[in-house]
Amino acid sequence: MSFTAPSIGSAGGRSALSAFEFGRTYVVKPKGKHQATVVWLHGLGDNGSSWSQLLETLALPNVKWICPTAPTRPISAFGGFPSTAWFDVQDLTEDAPDDLEGLDASAAHVVNLLSTEPADIKLGVGGFSMGAATALYSATCFAVGKYGNGNPYPANISAAVGLSGWLPCAKTLSNKLEGVDEATRRAQSFPVLLCHGKGDDVIPFKFGEKSSKCFISTGFQDVSFKAYNGLGHYTIPEEMDEVCAWLRSKLGLDGTSA
C-alpha cells in the first residue's frame, strides 16, 4: 500500500517517513473456525511479540490476531531518543500537536495487514496506549472514509478497542463527520470499546474518559467505556475478559472451536 504524505513539506516529510520501516509481525492463528481477524498494536517502546503471547491465551478460538511491530523512530518527548512508536509524540498533554503523517502511515499499515483477509472474515483493530490511539484513529478514518491526508480509507473494519489510550485528532473529528451522510451512518453503527485504569500515571484516566465523550458527541452511538479502580498503565485479566466478551458480541463470534 502506498502512503502519500500531506502536501505541506511533503518532499522532506515523505523521504523522512520512508526511512522508518515497520518491524516484525507476529501472527496468532485461530484455534477454531476462523471468523474474525484483529490487528493489535503495542505501546511505545514495545513490540508485537509480547502482546501476541498474551492474546494467544485468550478464550477467543475464532480470532486470528496480527501483532505488528512499530518502526523505530526518534521521539520528540524523549529529546529525539529512538524508540518503537506508531507516531511521534511531543508531550502527553491535551494540546500537544498530532503527528498526522505518522498516524496515517500506521493506519495504512493496519489496512495493509488486513488487505489479504478473506471477504467473509470480520475485521477489527485494537491496541494498548499509543497502539490504542492508533486503533481509535483508524476507527475515525473508517467512519470519515479517508485518512487525515484525504486519501480514501479502503478497509471495512467492524470494531475498535482501545486500552489505556486516547483519541488523536479529537478536536477536528466533528468537522470531518459533519454533513457527510455516509460518514454519519458509519459512525452511528461502529462499535468502540475504551478501557482505562483510574490509577494510570502515564496516560491519565481523563484522557480515556474525554476520548469516550468525544466519540459519543460526534455521533458514534455504540461506545462502551470501562473504568478500573486502582489499575495503572497495564492490563489485568478482568479487563481482557471484558475485551473478549465485547469482541464476541460485536463481531458475532460463536465461541466454538469447531
Side-chain angles (χ1 to χ4, degrees):
M1 157 148 313
S2 64
F3 168 71
T4 309
S7 55
I8 301 166
S10 62
R14 274 189 81 176
S15 58
L17 192 74
S18 61
F20 299 131
E21 285 186 19
F22 289 90
R24 185 173 166 193
T25 298
Y26 299 80
V27 176
V28 179
K29 291 178 179 171
K31 297 175 180 73
K33 183 188 174 196
H34 184 197
Q35 294 178 318
T37 297
V38 179
V39 172
W40 191 270
L41 306 168
H42 63 75
L44 179 66
D46 202 359
N47 61 62
S49 172
S50 52
W51 274 98
S52 72
Q53 290 168 49
L54 172 64
L55 297 169
E56 195 162 14
T57 66
L58 300 184
L60 286 173
N62 311 111
V63 175
K64 170 184 172 183
W65 299 96
I66 301 176
C67 304
T69 299
T72 299
R73 66 175 79 217
I75 303 298
S76 298
F78 297 165
F81 189 82
S83 182
T84 53
W86 300 109
F87 50 91
D88 188 26
V89 181
Q90 298 209 2
D91 59 62
L92 288 171
T93 64
E94 290 176 68
D95 297 320
D98 290 297
D99 172 18
L100 197 61
E101 202 172 325
L103 282 161
D104 276 347
S106 290
H109 187 60
V110 171
V111 167
N112 204 23
L113 291 168
L114 292 169
S115 64
T116 53
E117 292 302 295
D120 60 336
I121 298 297
K122 294 275 182 73
L123 307 177
V125 60
F128 174 79
S129 193
M130 172 184 264
T134 309
L136 299 175
Y137 178 74
S138 296
T140 63
C141 292
F142 168 75
V144 174
K146 50 192 175 190
Y147 294 103
N149 63 16
N151 287 349
Y153 184 84
N156 186 24
I157 54 175
S158 297
V161 178
L163 310 183
S164 312
W166 72 96
L167 174 62
C169 308
K171 293 184 178 77
T172 59
L173 183 56
S174 60
N175 291 347
K176 289 177 187 166
L177 289 166
E178 230 165 66
V180 186
D181 289 349
E182 239 178 281
T184 306
R185 265 199 309 279
R186 280 193 295 265
Q188 282 172 351
S189 60
F190 188 86
V192 180
L193 172 65
L194 297 105
C195 303
H196 218 111
K198 289 192 170 178
D200 196 325
D201 56 351
V202 179
I203 308 296
F205 175 76
K206 65 174 184 180
F207 279 31
E209 201 172 31
K210 284 187 175 179
S211 298
S212 164
K213 287 175 179 168
C214 175
F215 271 117
I216 292 163
S217 69
T218 52
F220 284 77
Q221 292 179 6
D222 190 355
V223 179
S224 303
F225 181 67
K226 306 286 180 186
Y228 296 86
N229 288 325
L231 178 64
H233 197 62
Y234 49 88
T235 186
I236 49 172
E238 181 194 348
E239 183 182 45
M240 294 314 293
D241 288 347
E242 193 93 54
V243 170
C244 287
W246 187 85
L247 284 172
R248 263 188 226 109
S249 161
K250 300 302 176 185
L251 296 178
L253 307 175
D254 59 23
T256 66
S257 56

